[in-house]
Amino acid sequence: MKKKKQSGGILSLSTRAIHGNKLYAYKGPVATPIYQTSTYRFETSDDAVRYAKGDPSVYVYTRYHNPTVHDVEEKIALMDHGEAAALFSSGMAAITTAILAFTKPGNEIISTAALYGGTYRWFRDELPQSGITVKFVHPDHLDQIERLVTAKTTIVYVETPTNPTLDLVDIAEVAKRVRNAERKSGRKIFVMVDNTFASIVNQDPFALGADVIVESATKYLGGHSDIIAGLVVGTSDFVKRVKGLAKHHGGCADPFAAYLLTRSLKTFELRVRKQNGNALALARALENHKKVNRVLHPGLPSFPKHQLARKQMSGYGGMVTIEVKPSKGRSAVEAAARVCDNLKIAVNAMSLGGVETLVSIPVYSSHIFMSDTELLQHGVTPGMIRISVGIEGIEDLIADFEQALALA
Ligand SMILES: Cc1ncc(COP(=O)(O)O)c(C=O)c1O
């Protein structure tokens, strides 16, 4: 497995997540205060003029900026080794605003097709209506990127690991192909990575050559299934333009959600490392179960892209997907539903990344809108159960899945 490089400073991830850059004698609260306000008093009217001239110390309106939100943005930028970050009201607000800030009608995006359902549908159904074309590339044929790039291409977008098969995209290879294409076209093309499934604990997209990280902070960063939030991380210039558009599109983060997120960051690395360990142990325990056809987890030697996982990830993540066999009198999806309905500890609910183990059936949830052909292309089968492994006792989790599978 890739040894994590300490790029961007010598402080560990947890130190950056807990302290941000407040590493000096600092008088004030230890916990981040919640600035639950929509607007800010000016000392004198001159403040408004200073703000208009670009003075960052003048706060005017929470849709533009807020100190609690700013605290998270500063910490995330440090954690991801980015120059700057922007916090949004959801992962989708982050993704859509980042993309729209750098595309206009007539532009093109190249993307892998195995994506979070919301992103995929936005690419497939809505962006083309605004005159923005999305071309899909297969993760096993990344050489095609250079052929697909035109003078109109502004972004190459990837998500890895992907939902629910946990298929991996070689980020370094994507970046190499894009840099080659840039040299030919003479124009900047941004490599944008959705790092939600791995999180910065397990995968460092900037070290692999990406330009921008987008992420649903609803998942591992939030980690308690109680907030919706999203992030864009990149250079100061990139984030400045994204924030400029965010002012008009309005997907700003709420100060209370930002407070909960900054609180969650303090245990983020601890939680994710525990989830990594639990996921690998659960995957191993279920791999040879007689009611299970396949177990997909990047850390298993049987995983089709295990070697790529070893190369580009520093931990294998907390997601495991199992494929339940059809049983006597039950189709595969019925058997999968029976497992989910009989789990006593793991919770039958959408989403991922929280401290509690969650399960969902992709063909009933994230992939319910897909045609049979699309399901086949995405490698999604009816018996699949996606497991977001939490931090419960691993013996309890294994016993829970064994008793539920016995009833399938
Ligand atoms: C990989 C990935 N990206 C983006 C999103 C969207 O995030 P949010 O629900 O916070 O808008 C999700 C949500 O499930 C996701 O799984």
Side-chain angles (χ1 to χ4, degrees), residues 90-92 95 116 159 194 196-197 216 218-219 228-229 352:
S90 69
M92 283 313 295
I95 293 165
Y116 165 62
E159 184 180 310
D194 182 332
T196 303
F197 268 48
S216 169
T218 311
K219 316 301 179 191
I228 302 277
L352 62 122

Side-chain angles (χ1 to χ4, degrees), residues 380-397:
V380 179
T381 60
M384 279 183 176
I385 301 176
R386 188 190 79 176
I387 309 167
S388 166
V389 183
I391 64 167
E392 300 95 335
I394 186 59
E395 305 77 15
D396 302 334
L397 284 180

Side-chain angles (χ1 to χ4, degrees), residues 174-192:
V174 170
K176 189 179 100 184
R177 299 288 174 184
V178 171
R179 301 288 93 99
N180 286 345
E182 267 178 356
R183 272 192 288 279
K184 280 183 215 150
S185 75
R187 298 175 67 250
K188 177 70 193 160
I189 301 165
F190 293 98
V191 176
M192 198 177 281

Side-chain angles (χ1 to χ4, degrees), residues 197-198 202 220 272 275-276 279 297 316-320 387-390:
F197 268 48
N202 295 320
Y220 288 100
V272 174
Q275 284 165 310
N276 286 349
H297 178 68
Y316 298 121
M319 302 300 295
V320 177
I387 309 167
S388 166
V389 183

